[in-house]
Amino acid sequence: MNSGDTAWVLISAALVLLMTPGLAFFYGGMVRAKSVLNMLMMSLGSIAVVGVLWVLIGYSTVFGTDVGGGLLGKPFEFFGLEGLLGADSLFGTIPTTAFVAFQAMFAIITVALISGAIADRARFGPWLLFAAVWSIVVYFPVAHWVFDFDGKDAAGNVVDPGGWIANTLGALDFAGGTAVHINAGAAALALALVLGKRKGWPREPMKPHNLPLVVLGAGLLWFGWFGFNAGSAVAANGTAGVAFINTLVATAAATLGWLVVERIRDGHATTLGAASGIVAGLVAITPAANSVTPLGSIAVGFIAAVLCALAVPLKYKLGYDDSLDVVGVHLVGGLAGTLLIGLFASKSAPAGIDGLFYGGGFDQLGKQALGAGAVLVYSFVLSLLIGLAIKYTVGFRVGAEAEVTGIDESEHAESAYELVSFGGRGSGRAASVTTLSSPALEESKP
C-alpha cells in the first residue's frame, strides 16, 4: 500500500461526490422557481439510492469475477463488501475500500445526470424506482464493460478477465465518456420520450430562474471534475498530472468554443452559454484525459463544445423535450470526446496510442465508435423499457394541475421561495409590493 496514492484517491472520491450537489445547483438554477427543490431532490435521491446499492451488489457486479464473457461480474461475490475490509485487501497500491469509495461516486453522478432531461414533470417516488432499477440493469453492467480491466499474473497471463470494451475491444475510456456520459445521455433521451413534453413547451418561455446558481453549480462541477479525471489514475503519479492539466485546458477551450458559437449565431455571449461550455468541455475530456496531449485536449474541448452548442437547439426541430439539455451536452459531448480519441490520441500521452492525426490509422477510431455505439444502444433500449414499465404500472409523470402549479408543492409540500405581499400607502395612494422571500428568512424575522 502506498499512502500517497491512497490519500489522493480518497480526496478524489470526496471531490467526485461534491459534483452531485454541484449538479443539483446547476440543474436547479436552470429550471423555473416552482421546480427547483424537486431538481435538488432528484440528485440527493440518487446519492441515497445508488450509495446503498453500490455496497450491496454494485461493486461486485462491476468488479467481481466475470461470469458472462466480459458482460457481467458476480453480483453477490462481495455482497456488503464482504472480504474487502481487511488490511491485506488491496487494489493496486491502495486499499480496496478506497477504490470502492471512488467508483461509488461515479455510479451516483451518472444516475443524477439523467434527471435533467425530465425536469418539471417527473414524480419523485417513481424517479427513485427508476434510479434503482437502472443502476442494476444498465449502469453496473456497462461499468463492468468499460472499467474492469483484465487481472494478470507476473507472466502476463490473464487470470481474472474483465469487461469486453476495455479488454477484448480495446476502446479507450479513461474516466467514463461511455460508461457515464453516453450512458446517461442515452437514458435521458429515452425518458424524455417516455414522459413527453412539458405543458406549454415549446410555446411558453421556460427560462432559468437563477443564473448565479447555475454558475455556482458549474464551478463546483469543474472543481470536483479534477478528482473525477485525475483521480482515475488511481495513483498520485504522472498520469494524474496529465489528466489534471488536460481537464483544465479542454474545459477552458470548450467555454470559448460555446461562446464563439453564441456570438456568431445569436449576436451575444451568455452566462448560461459559458456555464454550458464548461460542462461540455468536462464531458468531452473525460474519456480522453490520459490519451491526448494538452494541445490535443484544447482541440477536443473546443470541437466538442461547438458540436454541443449546435446540437442543443435540435430538440426544437426534432420535437423531444430534453428539459436541461442532457442529450445535447452529455450524449453529444460524450460521443465527441470518445470519437475524437481516435483522431487526437498521441503516444506521448500516458495511454501510449496514436490516433489518426498522429499516424495511427483508423484502427482506434473504429474501436471507439463500436464501444460508443454499443453503450448508446444498450442504454437507450433498456432505459426505454424501464421507463415504460414504470409509466404503465405506478405512473411516472405528475398530473397536469400539479405541473402547472408547481412540482415542488405537489411532490414535496415545500417551496424554495415564497411570495410575500406588503401593503402600504405612498403619496395618498394605496401601494402594494410583492417580493421573493425564502421561508428560512421569514421565520427569522421578529
Side-chain angles (χ1 to χ4, degrees):
M1 186 186 77
N2 182 287
S3 59
D5 293 344
T6 302
W8 171 238
V9 172
L10 289 174
I11 291 171
S12 295
L15 287 171
V16 180
L17 179 61
L18 182 64
M19 290 170 63
T20 300
L23 179 73
F25 286 133
F26 182 77
Y27 281 171
M30 289 177 70
V31 297
R32 291 168 290 178
K34 62 184 180 180
S35 305
V36 58
L37 294 182
N38 180 253
M39 205 69 258
L40 300 178
M41 283 291 287
M42 292 173 85
S43 286
L44 296 180
S46 300
I47 298 175
V49 170
V50 182
V52 172
L53 286 175
W54 183 256
V55 169
L56 295 178
I57 62 171
Y59 181 79
S60 295
T61 306
V62 178
F63 295 103
T65 302
D66 185 82
V67 293
L71 298 177
L72 199 69
K74 287 183 178 178
F76 298 100
E77 183 175 5
F78 304 114
F79 180 79
L81 306 186
E82 181 68 26
L84 302 179
L85 305 182
D88 59 342
S89 179
L90 299 177
F91 184 93
T93 60
I94 66 174
T96 303
T97 48
F99 184 70
V100 171
F102 181 66
Q103 286 292 333
M105 310 312 175
F106 282 66
I108 287 168
I109 193 160
T110 304
V111 174
L113 288 172
I114 302 168
S115 64
I118 54 174
D120 294 328
R121 60 199 188 278
R123 294 172 56 213
F124 185 63
W127 161 251
L128 296 183
L129 176 60
F130 175 85
V133 176
W134 190 86
S135 297
I136 296 169
V137 175
V138 180
Y139 180 80
F140 296 162
V142 171
H144 177 72
W145 304 352
V146 176
F147 292 146
D148 191 19
F149 291 90
D150 289 342
K152 300 179 180 179
D153 60 19
N157 299 310
V158 176
V159 294
D160 182 17
W164 72 274
I165 288 180
N167 303 286
T168 306
L169 178 61
L172 299 178
D173 186 353
F174 185 60
T178 53
V180 176
H181 298 293
I182 294 175
N183 204 3
L189 177 59
L191 284 194
L193 296 175
V194 169
L195 271 74
K197 305 172 185 178
R198 288 169 289 177
K199 297 294 181 183
W201 186 90
R203 299 183 309 276
E204 298 177 9
M206 298 181 181
K207 296 181 179 180
H209 89 284
N210 192 326
L211 283 172
L213 206 62
V214 175
V215 175
L216 172 63
L220 289 173
L221 283 169
W222 197 345
F223 178 69
W225 222 291
F226 289 118
F228 195 86
N229 285 352
S232 292
V234 199
N237 58 17
T239 300
V242 171
F244 197 108
I245 292 297
N246 285 345
T247 301
L248 171 65
V249 295
T251 308
T255 307
L256 294 175
W258 196 294
L259 294 179
V260 166
V261 172
E262 283 193 329
R263 186 67 178 84
I264 295 173
R265 182 184 61 197
D266 308 321
H268 47 260
T270 69
T271 306
L272 181 61
S276 300
I278 288 171
V279 177
L282 292 168
V283 169
I285 198 58
T286 291
N290 77 327
S291 58
V292 299
T293 64
L295 287 177
S297 69
I298 291 174
V300 169
F302 190 90
I303 293 170
V306 169
L307 293 174
C308 290
L310 295 175
V312 164
L314 291 178
K315 65 183 182 181
Y316 298 104
K317 294 183 179 180
L318 299 177
Y320 65 90
D321 184 8
D322 171 20
S323 306
L324 307 183
D325 303 320
V326 184
V327 177
V329 174
H330 292 276
L331 179 57
V332 174
L335 285 169
T338 300
L339 295 176
L340 288 173
I341 290 173
L343 303 180
F344 291 102
S346 169
K347 280 187 177 179
S348 61
I353 293 177
D354 279 335
L356 179 64
F357 294 165
Y358 289 81
F362 289 94
D363 181 60
Q364 193 61 43
L365 181 59
K367 294 176 180 179
Q368 299 301 121
L370 182 56
V375 173
L376 193 162
V377 172
Y378 180 83
S379 179
F380 178 80
V381 172
L382 269 294
S383 302
L384 189 67
L385 294 175
I386 298 168
L388 288 172
I390 294 174
K391 177 180 179 178
Y392 291 112
T393 53
V394 298
F396 212 148
R397 184 165 177 160
V398 298
E401 183 179 352
E403 185 177 340
V404 172
T405 57
I407 194 171
D408 287 352
E409 289 285 355
S410 66
E411 289 296 301
H412 309 291
E414 297 174 305
S415 61
Y417 314 100
E418 290 185 359
L419 290 174
V420 181
S421 296
F422 299 94
R425 293 185 179 274
S427 302
R429 299 175 62 186
S432 178
V433 179
T434 301
T435 66
L436 282 176
S437 175
S438 72
L441 179 61
E442 288 303 308
E443 291 174 2
S444 68
K445 292 180 180 179

